[in-house]
Amino acid sequence: MLVNAVCDPSLALSPGANVPLQSLGAGEGKLSILAWPGYIERGETDESYDWVTGFENGTGCKVNVKTAATSDEMVTLMNQGGYDLVTASGDATQRLIAGGKVQQVNTDLIPSWKTVDPRLQDAPWHTLEGKHYGVPYQWGSNVLMYNTQTFPKPPTSWDVVFREQQLPDGKSNKGRVQAYDGAIYIADAALYLKEHQPELGITDPYELNQAQFDAAIALLKGQRQLIGRYWHDANVQVDDFVSEGVVASSAWPFQVNLLKSKESPIDSTIPLEGATGWADTTMVHTQAQHPNCAYKWLEHSLSPKVQGDVAAWFGSVPVVPAACKGNALLGAEGCATNGSENFEKISFWRTPVAMCDGEKKCVPYSKWVSSYIAIIGSK
Amino acid sequence: MQNIPPASARRPGFQLRRVVNFFYHRPRGLLALLLLAPLLWFGVVYLGSLGALLIQSFFHLDDFTGQVVREFTLQTYGELLSRSNGDIILRTVGMAASVTIAAAILAFPLAYYMARHAPPRLKAALSLAILLPLWSNYLVRVYSWKLILAQEGVLSWFIRLFHLEGLLNLLLSLPSIGGTSLSVSAFGPFLAFLYLWLPYMILPMQAALERVPLSLTEASADLGGRNWATFRWVILPLGFPGVVAGSIFTFSLTLGDFIVPSILGNSSLFIGQVAYIQQGTAGNIPIAAAFTVVPMIIMTFYLIGAKRLGAFDAL
């Protein structure tokens, strides 16, 4: 590998993040990807979900996958180096770009770039000053999951999880709703307040000044009284809906699909306030040792077949709209089931930083975490 | 074949002999060589990481930039004493203490029976039964407790069968430890911890009780001591170091656990979880380190106390 890195002429053309690759050469025979679990499948869990073997046979690039459980782990591993690609979420991408760990991508070398959903092509989480630092991979939203026996009609507002009230079945929602066990959930509260307390002037749920932040915290403190247990593990939440009498909560399409497949009376909706969500980007390491294979993967990752298969496996939405049609694993309604119609209603996940609008006036993420810990512990 | 091999072929054996002779005359040298690897491990890796942790806890996080400021400060420890963080520490210590006491009460009769009355076959069977759960995965056992204690779980079914709902509701309506179901209330993690750590309490207790000489109980009887008096004044004091030894395990294991309270209970955080969250996405390593120092201090005092009570003789 060392020899490869030294002799590879294409490396000499990419000295840093500023100059993207100008032309592609032959594959280097290897590719190392850092990814979310379930994002890069080679049919080991279920043989019909395999988008690696075909790539290896077609390009000769042997793929090596390392999974990471959190965005934080991804950033740490990228800082250590040794990876060519990473599937980074919106909170990690900006840190990776700022840290100089990912290189600018030359979209001209990726023929399928033009098939990417135009709304995602210039998304701020991978674009800086008009330069692209990655290729969108998948996106998804946090939805309001509810029990259809308790709610004959879909709830229209996040009200049902934020304020104590009588649910349509005549019983209180106390002890029967859940919220996400992570500080980023404060953004969900802010999104709710944006609609219901316009006087606060919230424009972006990830950029909150002290007054807006305090209002969100007050709302969440009230919510604490309604919540028996917060959720952070998707499988635990599924279990809570089945056997703990939980009837409404924020959730991922993954849990909804899982419960529906078990014939549980569960459905999901995006209420009028909108929802938070995530969008992941495949990015190339500044010191990628196999840049040609990396570009081959970027192109491969945008093919409708791969996009559709990943979406079916992960419960996410393809970034290539064409992938929604004619994919056997995803089915005709797959994209809609995973929330493809909700794009406009979603505030995509970003790391809250103190600097917003060029001034230090927003509450930084470390404060989000300590405040949220205090709320959860306050029962 | 019967030729004497050339000198060069004999050399390795000769060398080995020289090495053996060298160490034979210098036993301390051999000892040092054998202990080098474990000592390096403990000295550099083990104590080194603890030292790094300790140093981190004296830094603090700049709220504006989100960067760790590497200057000596007690600010992080000040934050540790804030109300919400203090609650977390008290909650964790309270849980560890109650699990320890309950485990001691539950384990003592069994350990006593195994040590002094059980016939050998039964004793072996009981030991096996106690150790058997340790062979299954920790996570599987915690998740099965979640299923047992769920609102629509096995235990609730039995409670309904025997019409004990009133009692359950009374238990669940208790302030601060109640909840919507057993698995969501503080009883959930309590029962899971109790189940998980009970073997670690029974075994040292049994070992300590086995070491109480029969002659002493006979002497007590000869002097007119009834069963209770013998138990209270002979067996309990002599077996107590075993209780303390067991409590080291139950207490410290509960103090550091972050899996059980994330699956059972009402999401109120424990020390281990806060350390995990704060060093993660939040990047607040100083406060995570300060939180980790808390159980270290508690356990230091605990172990000093345990040593005074003779717990280490019972291990």
Side-chain angles (χ1 to χ4, degrees), chain A residues 72 224 228-230 233 239-240 242-244 354 364 366-367 373 376-377, chain B residues 61 63-64 91 143 146 150-152 181 183-184 263 265-267 269 280:
Chain A
D72 224 52
R224 179 64 179 112
R229 173 158 55 218
Y230 289 77
D233 181 320
D239 190 46
D240 285 339
V242 173
S243 61
E244 284 287 356
S366 59
K367 264 279 178 297
I373 287 175
I376 293 179
Chain B
L61 190 84
D63 272 341
F64 283 121
R91 181 182 305 125
Y143 273 101
K146 184 177 187 302
Q151 202 172 60
E152 288 152 40
S181 79
S183 108
V184 175
I263 294 172
N266 67 2
S267 294
L269 295 168

PDB file of all heavy atoms in Angstrom, chain A residues 72 224 228-230 233 239-240 242-244 354 364 366-367 373 376-377, chain B residues 61 63-64 91 143 146 150-152 181 183-184 263 265-267 269 280:
ATOM      1  N   ASP A  72     -19.285  10.816  15.889  1.00  0.00           N
ATOM      2  CA  ASP A  72     -18.051  11.129  16.581  1.00  0.00           C
ATOM      3  C   ASP A  72     -16.945  10.137  16.283  1.00  0.00           C
ATOM      4  O   ASP A  72     -15.797  10.476  16.046  1.00  0.00           O
ATOM      5  CB  ASP A  72     -18.364  11.040  18.060  1.00  0.00           C
ATOM      6  CG  ASP A  72     -17.766  12.190  18.773  1.00  0.00           C
ATOM      7  OD1 ASP A  72     -18.018  13.308  18.320  1.00  0.00           O
ATOM      8  OD2 ASP A  72     -17.025  11.939  19.717  1.00  0.00           O
ATOM      9  N   ARG A 224     -41.017  16.074  30.050  1.00  0.00           N
ATOM     10  CA  ARG A 224     -40.419  15.026  30.890  1.00  0.00           C
ATOM     11  C   ARG A 224     -41.469  14.322  31.735  1.00  0.00           C
ATOM     12  O   ARG A 224     -41.393  13.116  31.976  1.00  0.00           O
ATOM     13  CB  ARG A 224     -39.335  15.640  31.809  1.00  0.00           C
ATOM     14  CG  ARG A 224     -38.664  14.640  32.748  1.00  0.00           C
ATOM     15  CD  ARG A 224     -37.912  13.623  31.913  1.00  0.00           C
ATOM     16  NE  ARG A 224     -37.197  12.623  32.665  1.00  0.00           N
ATOM     17  CZ  ARG A 224     -37.520  11.327  32.694  1.00  0.00           C
ATOM     18  NH1 ARG A 224     -38.615  10.903  32.087  1.00  0.00           N
ATOM     19  NH2 ARG A 224     -36.763  10.456  33.324  1.00  0.00           N
ATOM     20  N   GLY A 228     -42.236   8.065  30.209  1.00  0.00           N
ATOM     21  CA  GLY A 228     -41.744   7.015  31.091  1.00  0.00           C
ATOM     22  C   GLY A 228     -40.286   6.749  30.791  1.00  0.00           C
ATOM     23  O   GLY A 228     -39.447   6.743  31.675  1.00  0.00           O
ATOM     24  N   ARG A 229     -40.003   6.547  29.515  1.00  0.00           N
ATOM     25  CA  ARG A 229     -38.637   6.243  29.111  1.00  0.00           C
ATOM     26  C   ARG A 229     -38.337   6.895  27.767  1.00  0.00           C
ATOM     27  O   ARG A 229     -39.162   6.864  26.867  1.00  0.00           O
ATOM     28  CB  ARG A 229     -38.459   4.732  28.999  1.00  0.00           C
ATOM     29  CG  ARG A 229     -37.119   4.332  28.425  1.00  0.00           C
ATOM     30  CD  ARG A 229     -36.714   2.931  28.793  1.00  0.00           C
ATOM     31  NE  ARG A 229     -37.680   1.927  28.444  1.00  0.00           N
ATOM     32  CZ  ARG A 229     -37.943   0.875  29.216  1.00  0.00           C
ATOM     33  NH1 ARG A 229     -37.346   0.742  30.360  1.00  0.00           N
ATOM     34  NH2 ARG A 229     -38.812  -0.018  28.833  1.00  0.00           N
ATOM     35  N   TYR A 230     -37.157   7.495  27.650  1.00  0.00           N
ATOM     36  CA  TYR A 230     -36.713   8.035  26.365  1.00  0.00           C
ATOM     37  C   TYR A 230     -36.180   6.882  25.526  1.00  0.00           C
ATOM     38  O   TYR A 230     -35.767   5.863  26.062  1.00  0.00           O
ATOM     39  CB  TYR A 230     -35.620   9.082  26.577  1.00  0.00           C
ATOM     40  CG  TYR A 230     -36.131  10.361  27.195  1.00  0.00           C
ATOM     41  CD1 TYR A 230     -36.422  10.433  28.544  1.00  0.00           C
ATOM     42  CD2 TYR A 230     -36.329  11.487  26.408  1.00  0.00           C
ATOM     43  CE1 TYR A 230     -36.904  11.597  29.114  1.00  0.00           C
ATOM     44  CE2 TYR A 230     -36.805  12.656  26.962  1.00  0.00           C
ATOM     45  CZ  TYR A 230     -37.089  12.711  28.316  1.00  0.00           C
ATOM     46  OH  TYR A 230     -37.565  13.871  28.863  1.00  0.00           O
ATOM     47  N   ASP A 233     -32.356   3.336  21.373  1.00  0.00           N
ATOM     48  CA  ASP A 233     -32.075   2.104  20.640  1.00  0.00           C
ATOM     49  C   ASP A 233     -33.344   1.746  19.873  1.00  0.00           C
ATOM     50  O   ASP A 233     -34.408   1.598  20.458  1.00  0.00           O
ATOM     51  CB  ASP A 233     -31.710   1.029  21.655  1.00  0.00           C
ATOM     52  CG  ASP A 233     -31.382  -0.300  21.004  1.00  0.00           C
ATOM     53  OD1 ASP A 233     -32.063  -0.686  20.027  1.00  0.00           O
ATOM     54  OD2 ASP A 233     -30.480  -0.974  21.493  1.00  0.00           O
ATOM     55  N   ASP A 239     -39.899  -2.564  20.894  1.00  0.00           N
ATOM     56  CA  ASP A 239     -40.405  -3.360  21.999  1.00  0.00           C
ATOM     57  C   ASP A 239     -41.349  -2.535  22.881  1.00  0.00           C
ATOM     58  O   ASP A 239     -42.374  -3.029  23.350  1.00  0.00           O
ATOM     59  CB  ASP A 239     -39.202  -3.864  22.809  1.00  0.00           C
ATOM     60  CG  ASP A 239     -39.621  -4.895  23.818  1.00  0.00           C
ATOM     61  OD1 ASP A 239     -40.383  -5.784  23.422  1.00  0.00           O
ATOM     62  OD2 ASP A 239     -39.213  -4.791  24.975  1.00  0.00           O
ATOM     63  N   ASP A 240     -41.006  -1.269  23.105  1.00  0.00           N
ATOM     64  CA  ASP A 240     -41.849  -0.415  23.939  1.00  0.00           C
ATOM     65  C   ASP A 240     -43.219  -0.187  23.300  1.00  0.00           C
ATOM     66  O   ASP A 240     -44.225  -0.102  23.995  1.00  0.00           O
ATOM     67  CB  ASP A 240     -41.166   0.935  24.193  1.00  0.00           C
ATOM     68  CG  ASP A 240     -40.038   0.819  25.213  1.00  0.00           C
ATOM     69  OD1 ASP A 240     -40.051  -0.166  25.981  1.00  0.00           O
ATOM     70  OD2 ASP A 240     -39.163   1.686  25.242  1.00  0.00           O
ATOM     71  N   VAL A 242     -44.676  -2.344  21.396  1.00  0.00           N
ATOM     72  CA  VAL A 242     -45.387  -3.621  21.417  1.00  0.00           C
ATOM     73  C   VAL A 242     -45.848  -3.968  22.833  1.00  0.00           C
ATOM     74  O   VAL A 242     -46.991  -4.357  23.039  1.00  0.00           O
ATOM     75  CB  VAL A 242     -44.485  -4.750  20.855  1.00  0.00           C
ATOM     76  CG1 VAL A 242     -45.150  -6.103  21.038  1.00  0.00           C
ATOM     77  CG2 VAL A 242     -44.185  -4.498  19.392  1.00  0.00           C
ATOM     78  N   SER A 243     -44.969  -3.793  23.829  1.00  0.00           N
ATOM     79  CA  SER A 243     -45.324  -4.341  25.139  1.00  0.00           C
ATOM     80  C   SER A 243     -45.337  -3.343  26.287  1.00  0.00           C
ATOM     81  O   SER A 243     -45.591  -3.726  27.413  1.00  0.00           O
ATOM     82  CB  SER A 243     -44.375  -5.492  25.483  1.00  0.00           C
ATOM     83  OG  SER A 243     -43.053  -5.043  25.541  1.00  0.00           O
ATOM     84  N   GLU A 244     -45.042  -2.056  26.017  1.00  0.00           N
ATOM     85  CA  GLU A 244     -45.071  -1.104  27.128  1.00  0.00           C
ATOM     86  C   GLU A 244     -46.205  -0.089  27.002  1.00  0.00           C
ATOM     87  O   GLU A 244     -46.259   0.876  27.755  1.00  0.00           O
ATOM     88  CB  GLU A 244     -43.735  -0.352  27.233  1.00  0.00           C
ATOM     89  CG  GLU A 244     -42.597  -1.156  27.825  1.00  0.00           C
ATOM     90  CD  GLU A 244     -42.720  -1.372  29.334  1.00  0.00           C
ATOM     91  OE1 GLU A 244     -43.654  -0.835  29.955  1.00  0.00           O
ATOM     92  OE2 GLU A 244     -41.868  -2.092  29.878  1.00  0.00           O
ATOM     93  N   ALA A 354     -21.640  27.755  18.372  1.00  0.00           N
ATOM     94  CA  ALA A 354     -21.820  29.076  18.974  1.00  0.00           C
ATOM     95  C   ALA A 354     -21.867  30.158  17.900  1.00  0.00           C
ATOM     96  O   ALA A 354     -22.624  31.105  17.971  1.00  0.00           O
ATOM     97  CB  ALA A 354     -20.695  29.343  19.963  1.00  0.00           C
ATOM     98  N   PRO A 364     -24.111  26.679  22.021  1.00  0.00           N
ATOM     99  CA  PRO A 364     -23.354  25.595  21.387  1.00  0.00           C
ATOM    100  C   PRO A 364     -23.825  24.217  21.835  1.00  0.00           C
ATOM    101  O   PRO A 364     -24.533  24.080  22.834  1.00  0.00           O
ATOM    102  CB  PRO A 364     -21.921  25.847  21.851  1.00  0.00           C
ATOM    103  CG  PRO A 364     -22.085  26.498  23.169  1.00  0.00           C
ATOM    104  CD  PRO A 364     -23.343  27.304  23.104  1.00  0.00           C
ATOM    105  N   SER A 366     -22.396  21.716  23.265  1.00  0.00           N
ATOM    106  CA  SER A 366     -22.051  21.199  24.600  1.00  0.00           C
ATOM    107  C   SER A 366     -23.098  21.624  25.622  1.00  0.00           C
ATOM    108  O   SER A 366     -23.454  20.861  26.522  1.00  0.00           O
ATOM    109  CB  SER A 366     -20.663  21.687  25.005  1.00  0.00           C
ATOM    110  OG  SER A 366     -20.631  23.094  25.016  1.00  0.00           O
ATOM    111  N   LYS A 367     -23.645  22.841  25.474  1.00  0.00           N
ATOM    112  CA  LYS A 367     -24.719  23.306  26.367  1.00  0.00           C
ATOM    113  C   LYS A 367     -26.000  22.511  26.125  1.00  0.00           C
ATOM    114  O   LYS A 367     -26.767  22.237  27.048  1.00  0.00           O
ATOM    115  CB  LYS A 367     -24.990  24.787  26.144  1.00  0.00           C
ATOM    116  CG  LYS A 367     -24.268  25.695  27.125  1.00  0.00           C
ATOM    117  CD  LYS A 367     -25.036  25.752  28.448  1.00  0.00           C
ATOM    118  CE  LYS A 367     -24.350  26.597  29.492  1.00  0.00           C
ATOM    119  NZ  LYS A 367     -23.041  26.103  29.894  1.00  0.00           N
ATOM    120  N   ILE A 373     -29.310  16.497  29.535  1.00  0.00           N
ATOM    121  CA  ILE A 373     -29.043  15.544  30.613  1.00  0.00           C
ATOM    122  C   ILE A 373     -29.790  15.962  31.872  1.00  0.00           C
ATOM    123  O   ILE A 373     -30.406  15.142  32.555  1.00  0.00           O
ATOM    124  CB  ILE A 373     -27.525  15.457  30.891  1.00  0.00           C
ATOM    125  CG1 ILE A 373     -26.840  14.710  29.750  1.00  0.00           C
ATOM    126  CG2 ILE A 373     -27.241  14.765  32.217  1.00  0.00           C
ATOM    127  CD1 ILE A 373     -25.339  14.674  29.870  1.00  0.00           C
ATOM    128  N   ILE A 376     -33.581  15.116  31.491  1.00  0.00           N
ATOM    129  CA  ILE A 376     -33.899  13.697  31.615  1.00  0.00           C
ATOM    130  C   ILE A 376     -33.764  13.239  33.064  1.00  0.00           C
ATOM    131  O   ILE A 376     -34.536  12.427  33.549  1.00  0.00           O
ATOM    132  CB  ILE A 376     -32.984  12.861  30.699  1.00  0.00           C
ATOM    133  CG1 ILE A 376     -33.305  13.164  29.241  1.00  0.00           C
ATOM    134  CG2 ILE A 376     -33.163  11.380  30.953  1.00  0.00           C
ATOM    135  CD1 ILE A 376     -32.446  12.427  28.252  1.00  0.00           C
ATOM    136  N   GLY A 377     -32.793  13.809  33.780  1.00  0.00           N
ATOM    137  CA  GLY A 377     -32.592  13.403  35.171  1.00  0.00           C
ATOM    138  C   GLY A 377     -33.528  14.071  36.150  1.00  0.00           C
ATOM    139  O   GLY A 377     -33.473  13.802  37.340  1.00  0.00           O
TER     140      GLY A 377
ATOM    141  N   LEU B  61     -14.018  22.895  29.140  1.00  0.00           N
ATOM    142  CA  LEU B  61     -14.491  23.090  27.777  1.00  0.00           C
ATOM    143  C   LEU B  61     -14.948  24.535  27.603  1.00  0.00           C
ATOM    144  O   LEU B  61     -15.738  25.043  28.391  1.00  0.00           O
ATOM    145  CB  LEU B  61     -15.663  22.148  27.494  1.00  0.00           C
ATOM    146  CG  LEU B  61     -16.086  22.086  26.039  1.00  0.00           C
ATOM    147  CD1 LEU B  61     -15.228  21.099  25.280  1.00  0.00           C
ATOM    148  CD2 LEU B  61     -17.545  21.681  25.923  1.00  0.00           C
ATOM    149  N   ASP B  63     -17.253  27.020  26.188  1.00  0.00           N
ATOM    150  CA  ASP B  63     -18.610  26.888  25.664  1.00  0.00           C
ATOM    151  C   ASP B  63     -18.772  27.502  24.284  1.00  0.00           C
ATOM    152  O   ASP B  63     -19.585  27.063  23.491  1.00  0.00           O
ATOM    153  CB  ASP B  63     -19.597  27.556  26.623  1.00  0.00           C
ATOM    154  CG  ASP B  63     -20.055  26.578  27.682  1.00  0.00           C
ATOM    155  OD1 ASP B  63     -19.903  25.362  27.435  1.00  0.00           O
ATOM    156  OD2 ASP B  63     -20.543  27.010  28.725  1.00  0.00           O
ATOM    157  N   PHE B  64     -18.023  28.534  24.005  1.00  0.00           N
ATOM    158  CA  PHE B  64     -18.211  29.218  22.722  1.00  0.00           C
ATOM    159  C   PHE B  64     -17.624  28.429  21.569  1.00  0.00           C
ATOM    160  O   PHE B  64     -18.260  28.204  20.560  1.00  0.00           O
ATOM    161  CB  PHE B  64     -17.594  30.614  22.773  1.00  0.00           C
ATOM    162  CG  PHE B  64     -18.453  31.583  23.519  1.00  0.00           C
ATOM    163  CD1 PHE B  64     -17.983  32.243  24.629  1.00  0.00           C
ATOM    164  CD2 PHE B  64     -19.762  31.805  23.113  1.00  0.00           C
ATOM    165  CE1 PHE B  64     -18.796  33.125  25.325  1.00  0.00           C
ATOM    166  CE2 PHE B  64     -20.575  32.680  23.803  1.00  0.00           C
ATOM    167  CZ  PHE B  64     -20.089  33.344  24.915  1.00  0.00           C
ATOM    168  N   ARG B  91     -27.964   9.361  42.590  1.00  0.00           N
ATOM    169  CA  ARG B  91     -28.814   8.292  42.061  1.00  0.00           C
ATOM    170  C   ARG B  91     -27.994   7.019  41.862  1.00  0.00           C
ATOM    171  O   ARG B  91     -28.407   5.927  42.252  1.00  0.00           O
ATOM    172  CB  ARG B  91     -29.415   8.748  40.730  1.00  0.00           C
ATOM    173  CG  ARG B  91     -30.345   7.751  40.084  1.00  0.00           C
ATOM    174  CD  ARG B  91     -30.845   8.272  38.752  1.00  0.00           C
ATOM    175  NE  ARG B  91     -31.473   9.572  38.874  1.00  0.00           N
ATOM    176  CZ  ARG B  91     -31.112  10.639  38.169  1.00  0.00           C
ATOM    177  NH1 ARG B  91     -30.150  10.550  37.282  1.00  0.00           N
ATOM    178  NH2 ARG B  91     -31.723  11.795  38.333  1.00  0.00           N
ATOM    179  N   TYR B 143     -31.924  -7.721  28.265  1.00  0.00           N
ATOM    180  CA  TYR B 143     -33.114  -7.601  27.420  1.00  0.00           C
ATOM    181  C   TYR B 143     -34.227  -8.535  27.890  1.00  0.00           C
ATOM    182  O   TYR B 143     -35.397  -8.189  27.824  1.00  0.00           O
ATOM    183  CB  TYR B 143     -32.779  -7.889  25.949  1.00  0.00           C
ATOM    184  CG  TYR B 143     -32.296  -6.676  25.217  1.00  0.00           C
ATOM    185  CD1 TYR B 143     -30.953  -6.466  24.977  1.00  0.00           C
ATOM    186  CD2 TYR B 143     -33.199  -5.713  24.774  1.00  0.00           C
ATOM    187  CE1 TYR B 143     -30.505  -5.340  24.323  1.00  0.00           C
ATOM    188  CE2 TYR B 143     -32.767  -4.578  24.114  1.00  0.00           C
ATOM    189  CZ  TYR B 143     -31.417  -4.398  23.889  1.00  0.00           C
ATOM    190  OH  TYR B 143     -30.985  -3.276  23.245  1.00  0.00           O
ATOM    191  N   LYS B 146     -36.110  -6.929  30.482  1.00  0.00           N
ATOM    192  CA  LYS B 146     -37.028  -5.929  29.949  1.00  0.00           C
ATOM    193  C   LYS B 146     -38.348  -6.597  29.546  1.00  0.00           C
ATOM    194  O   LYS B 146     -39.421  -6.074  29.808  1.00  0.00           O
ATOM    195  CB  LYS B 146     -36.393  -5.245  28.736  1.00  0.00           C
ATOM    196  CG  LYS B 146     -37.238  -4.129  28.191  1.00  0.00           C
ATOM    197  CD  LYS B 146     -36.562  -3.425  27.046  1.00  0.00           C
ATOM    198  CE  LYS B 146     -37.359  -2.208  26.653  1.00  0.00           C
ATOM    199  NZ  LYS B 146     -38.733  -2.506  26.279  1.00  0.00           N
ATOM    200  N   ALA B 150     -42.005  -5.886  31.410  1.00  0.00           N
ATOM    201  CA  ALA B 150     -42.802  -4.968  30.592  1.00  0.00           C
ATOM    202  C   ALA B 150     -44.247  -4.918  31.074  1.00  0.00           C
ATOM    203  O   ALA B 150     -44.737  -5.814  31.752  1.00  0.00           O
ATOM    204  CB  ALA B 150     -42.756  -5.396  29.133  1.00  0.00           C
ATOM    205  N   GLN B 151     -44.912  -3.805  30.675  1.00  0.00           N
ATOM    206  CA  GLN B 151     -46.302  -3.626  31.085  1.00  0.00           C
ATOM    207  C   GLN B 151     -47.149  -4.819  30.677  1.00  0.00           C
ATOM    208  O   GLN B 151     -48.048  -5.233  31.392  1.00  0.00           O
ATOM    209  CB  GLN B 151     -46.841  -2.352  30.421  1.00  0.00           C
ATOM    210  CG  GLN B 151     -48.021  -1.770  31.113  1.00  0.00           C
ATOM    211  CD  GLN B 151     -48.368  -0.425  30.506  1.00  0.00           C
ATOM    212  OE1 GLN B 151     -48.673  -0.316  29.316  1.00  0.00           O
ATOM    213  NE2 GLN B 151     -48.293   0.620  31.301  1.00  0.00           N
ATOM    214  N   GLU B 152     -46.861  -5.370  29.507  1.00  0.00           N
ATOM    215  CA  GLU B 152     -47.608  -6.542  29.055  1.00  0.00           C
ATOM    216  C   GLU B 152     -46.701  -7.764  29.071  1.00  0.00           C
ATOM    217  O   GLU B 152     -46.783  -8.636  28.220  1.00  0.00           O
ATOM    218  CB  GLU B 152     -48.175  -6.282  27.662  1.00  0.00           C
ATOM    219  CG  GLU B 152     -49.321  -5.290  27.703  1.00  0.00           C
ATOM    220  CD  GLU B 152     -49.454  -4.509  26.409  1.00  0.00           C
ATOM    221  OE1 GLU B 152     -49.281  -5.118  25.356  1.00  0.00           O
ATOM    222  OE2 GLU B 152     -49.723  -3.303  26.476  1.00  0.00           O
ATOM    223  N   SER B 181     -44.602   1.297  34.435  1.00  0.00           N
ATOM    224  CA  SER B 181     -44.573  -0.152  34.563  1.00  0.00           C
ATOM    225  C   SER B 181     -43.304  -0.513  35.321  1.00  0.00           C
ATOM    226  O   SER B 181     -42.444   0.338  35.538  1.00  0.00           O
ATOM    227  CB  SER B 181     -44.577  -0.829  33.193  1.00  0.00           C
ATOM    228  OG  SER B 181     -43.283  -0.790  32.646  1.00  0.00           O
ATOM    229  N   SER B 183     -40.769  -2.128  34.379  1.00  0.00           N
ATOM    230  CA  SER B 183     -39.527  -1.957  33.614  1.00  0.00           C
ATOM    231  C   SER B 183     -39.153  -0.487  33.472  1.00  0.00           C
ATOM    232  O   SER B 183     -37.992  -0.143  33.341  1.00  0.00           O
ATOM    233  CB  SER B 183     -39.657  -2.642  32.255  1.00  0.00           C
ATOM    234  OG  SER B 183     -39.777  -1.724  31.229  1.00  0.00           O
ATOM    235  N   VAL B 184     -40.139   0.401  33.506  1.00  0.00           N
ATOM    236  CA  VAL B 184     -39.860   1.826  33.362  1.00  0.00           C
ATOM    237  C   VAL B 184     -39.512   2.463  34.709  1.00  0.00           C
ATOM    238  O   VAL B 184     -38.827   3.469  34.770  1.00  0.00           O
ATOM    239  CB  VAL B 184     -41.058   2.544  32.696  1.00  0.00           C
ATOM    240  CG1 VAL B 184     -40.842   4.037  32.644  1.00  0.00           C
ATOM    241  CG2 VAL B 184     -41.277   2.001  31.302  1.00  0.00           C
ATOM    242  N   ILE B 263     -31.389   0.572  29.148  1.00  0.00           N
ATOM    243  CA  ILE B 263     -32.434  -0.308  28.618  1.00  0.00           C
ATOM    244  C   ILE B 263     -33.646  -0.331  29.544  1.00  0.00           C
ATOM    245  O   ILE B 263     -34.782  -0.351  29.110  1.00  0.00           O
ATOM    246  CB  ILE B 263     -31.871  -1.726  28.401  1.00  0.00           C
ATOM    247  CG1 ILE B 263     -30.809  -1.691  27.307  1.00  0.00           C
ATOM    248  CG2 ILE B 263     -32.976  -2.700  28.023  1.00  0.00           C
ATOM    249  CD1 ILE B 263     -30.047  -2.979  27.140  1.00  0.00           C
ATOM    250  N   GLY B 265     -35.595   1.231  33.305  1.00  0.00           N
ATOM    251  CA  GLY B 265     -35.663   2.455  34.098  1.00  0.00           C
ATOM    252  C   GLY B 265     -36.254   3.614  33.315  1.00  0.00           C
ATOM    253  O   GLY B 265     -36.656   3.456  32.165  1.00  0.00           O
ATOM    254  N   ASN B 266     -36.285   4.785  33.936  1.00  0.00           N
ATOM    255  CA  ASN B 266     -36.995   5.912  33.323  1.00  0.00           C
ATOM    256  C   ASN B 266     -36.058   6.869  32.600  1.00  0.00           C
ATOM    257  O   ASN B 266     -36.331   8.053  32.494  1.00  0.00           O
ATOM    258  CB  ASN B 266     -37.849   6.645  34.360  1.00  0.00           C
ATOM    259  CG  ASN B 266     -37.003   7.334  35.404  1.00  0.00           C
ATOM    260  OD1 ASN B 266     -35.774   7.303  35.351  1.00  0.00           O
ATOM    261  ND2 ASN B 266     -37.642   7.963  36.361  1.00  0.00           N
ATOM    262  N   SER B 267     -34.951   6.377  32.104  1.00  0.00           N
ATOM    263  CA  SER B 267     -33.981   7.163  31.323  1.00  0.00           C
ATOM    264  C   SER B 267     -33.173   8.128  32.176  1.00  0.00           C
ATOM    265  O   SER B 267     -32.331   8.835  31.646  1.00  0.00           O
ATOM    266  CB  SER B 267     -34.652   7.962  30.194  1.00  0.00           C
ATOM    267  OG  SER B 267     -35.181   7.100  29.241  1.00  0.00           O
ATOM    268  N   LEU B 269     -30.222   9.393  34.072  1.00  0.00           N
ATOM    269  CA  LEU B 269     -28.880   8.922  33.745  1.00  0.00           C
ATOM    270  C   LEU B 269     -28.087   8.457  34.961  1.00  0.00           C
ATOM    271  O   LEU B 269     -28.318   8.914  36.078  1.00  0.00           O
ATOM    272  CB  LEU B 269     -28.117  10.035  33.042  1.00  0.00           C
ATOM    273  CG  LEU B 269     -28.701  10.431  31.686  1.00  0.00           C
ATOM    274  CD1 LEU B 269     -28.076  11.704  31.193  1.00  0.00           C
ATOM    275  CD2 LEU B 269     -28.492   9.317  30.681  1.00  0.00           C
ATOM    276  N   GLY B 280     -18.607  11.744  24.015  1.00  0.00           N
ATOM    277  CA  GLY B 280     -18.969  11.418  22.636  1.00  0.00           C
ATOM    278  C   GLY B 280     -19.181  12.656  21.795  1.00  0.00           C
ATOM    279  O   GLY B 280     -18.290  13.484  21.645  1.00  0.00           O
TER     280      GLY B 280
END
